[in-house]
Amino acid sequence: MAVPLLRSGMRIKPYPWLEMLPVDPLSQALAMLIRLLGMAAIGALFLGLSGLYLKEQKIERMGHGANIVLLLDRSNSMDNSFAGKAPSGSEQSKADAARRLLNEFVDHRPHDLIGVAEYSTSPLFVMPLTENKQAIRAAIDATANPALAYTNISKGLGLALSFFDHQTVSGSRIILLVSDGAAVIDPDSEAALRVLFKQQQVRLYWLFLRTDNSPGIFAEPEDSRDDNAQSMPELYLHRFFSSLNIPYQAYEAENPGAMQKAISDINRLEQLPLHYQETIPRRDLSGQCYGWLAGLIALLLGLKLCEV
Amino acid sequence: MRSSNPIFKDFRFWCLALSLLALLVMALYPTQIQKRPVYKLTFVVDITRSMNAEDYSVGDKAISRLEFVKLSLRELIGKLPCQSQVGLGVFTERRSTILFDPIEVCSGYAELDKSIDSLDWRMAWAADSRIAGGLLNAMSLLRGKETTLLFISDGQEAPPLNSRYRTDFAEVKGKLKGLIVGAGGLQPVVIPKFDAKGQRMGVYGPDDVPHRSSFGESDLNPEKIEGYDARNAPFGKHAATGSEHLSALQEGYLQQLAAETGLAYHHLQTEAGLEIAIKSPEFALITDSEADIRGYYVLLVLLLLLSIFY
């Protein structure tokens, strides 16, 4: 960028208007002025040509928002309706309902950083924490594709927690788990998850989409023989989350309406003040440069017209 | 205009006036509509175990097929023109899944870069590598969406294919544009093996993998099979031996799949080669875009100004 500037400086040094110069101070001053204006005009021209811009800036602001990881269940059962059947007619599958409501949720959270992780038998890293709402919606929309296999929740949780590694931005850290079932977490993973949840200072929301006739999160077993993680994984997962000593809230939804309510509840709860960085995109200044160029040329033209 | 006025005879006046006029026109018409190719791609990456085979190298270091694919794709997204879109999916077992629909590459560069970098063989939700099935699945998922499929695989079916049971692509043939990208070298190499914790523990040996399909009816001539029994031993009495524990790019097979599906084929060797293969006119979507043409006006002004001061 500097090269054209230097060159332009050199080029206009040969002083052109000698023949116009009568020997008097005013004219000399004017001639000087003309030369300066010419230099300035060429300077502005090169600045504009070289694409002068104001760098992208980050401004720290206070707002309402959070760092949210959406952890979505992609197990086969999510493609069924809340009645536990393949959706027919106007019925919505659980995944459809979740997709619609999550998209609305994302629209209501302008300042949040949102990331997306999915899990079935294995965890799937989908989208890092980002402000790019178009990208998040693209990830949520892609859950319209058929679901995958089984439910392996511990790996999913591990992946979701890893989103907050090396992340220094302030604001609350939230994992929003959307699932329609739970699975047994083996003791090793349980211990590891306990440590991670503590370290990462995460707030956990579990939106449980309960299918008709299945035990819910809060159902205590009627028969003590059923009181084990294998037969009541949801209850045991709920107990595990409650025992983590982290802010935790579970919602059980049997229909899209209840889901809607839970999501607006989370939306309302997570309006804590947050320092966030607002990115001001880089501004192109070449327009301004050309404006100056035009002004300077107009001045030169004005001086020219004053010429006697 | 009085021609007697000496100002109007001076070329410098006209140069200045013309400059100002050029800038005025520039303010009114700063851009020009130009036709420009953009691309809408969906990458579907094979994350089965054979993609861990290390037959690419960067510098002196051998890296796995999957790592090289990730590097190439990350470099590629930086070279696509703005307004191009890229989506991402993975393939394992006999199915593909789309992680996210195409997003714009310039505004979403950081997100794309990170998600491609996070692809991992441990994302696979099931073992097996039924490439034809995965390809068919990917094609039917993307059918009807205006996107170009980039299906990246080494072509190694595991367990091996029984030629009696071929995937039928008639339903999707020609319904989707795209490219099958073959990853890997042509020399068979060992496949690394990992334990449940992700620690590397040697390589797959001949006893670790099935060497032929033993599903359904045999595709061999019964008279040629030793110990053949139609009900109890349709594949003969001997265990199959073979070299399925080694992996090489099955270029012939992928080319055959390409012919059956109406996709093109490209062997991934360098990132630049992949870029050329993708930027073929077949995959380009032509869009109108506004190109900045202010530079031309300004160059004219520069010439005029220099002529005054020279």
Side-chain angles (χ1 to χ4, degrees), chain A residues 11 16-17 38 45 121-123 125-126 128 130 132 138-139 141-142 145-147 284 286 290 294 301 304 307, chain B residues 7 10 12 16 20 23 26 95 98-101 103 107-108 111 114-115 118 122-125 141 294 298 306 309:
Chain A
R11 257 192 216 162
W17 284 17
L45 187 148
T121 314
S122 297
F125 182 103
V126 180
T130 171
N132 185 338
D141 287 342
N145 296 310
D284 185 15
S286 55
Y290 295 148
L301 197 62
K304 183 80 193 158
E307 209 177 89
Chain B
I7 294 176
D10 187 356
R12 294 185 183 87
L16 284 171
L20 206 56
L23 289 172
M26 179 180 92
R95 297 183 44 194
I98 305 299
L99 297 176
F100 51 86
D101 294 338
I103 60 176
S107 60
E111 291 78 12
K114 173 80 178 150
S115 3
S118 302
R122 280 169 293 186
M123 283 166 116
W125 55 89
L141 286 179
R294 292 179 303 179
V298 173
L306 288 178
F309 285 99

Side-chain angles (χ1 to χ4, degrees), chain B residues 74-89:
Chain B
R74 287 167 65 193
E75 218 167 301
L76 176 70
I77 52 172
K79 297 200 172 145
L80 293 173
C82 285
Q83 292 172 37
S84 294
Q85 295 183 313
V86 168
L88 186 64

Side-chain angles (χ1 to χ4, degrees), chain B residues 114-131:
Chain B
K114 173 80 178 150
S115 3
I116 293 174
D117 190 35
S118 302
L119 288 177
D120 192 299
W121 65 273
R122 280 169 293 186
M123 283 166 116
W125 55 89
D128 278 11
S129 178
R130 286 268 169 252
I131 289 155

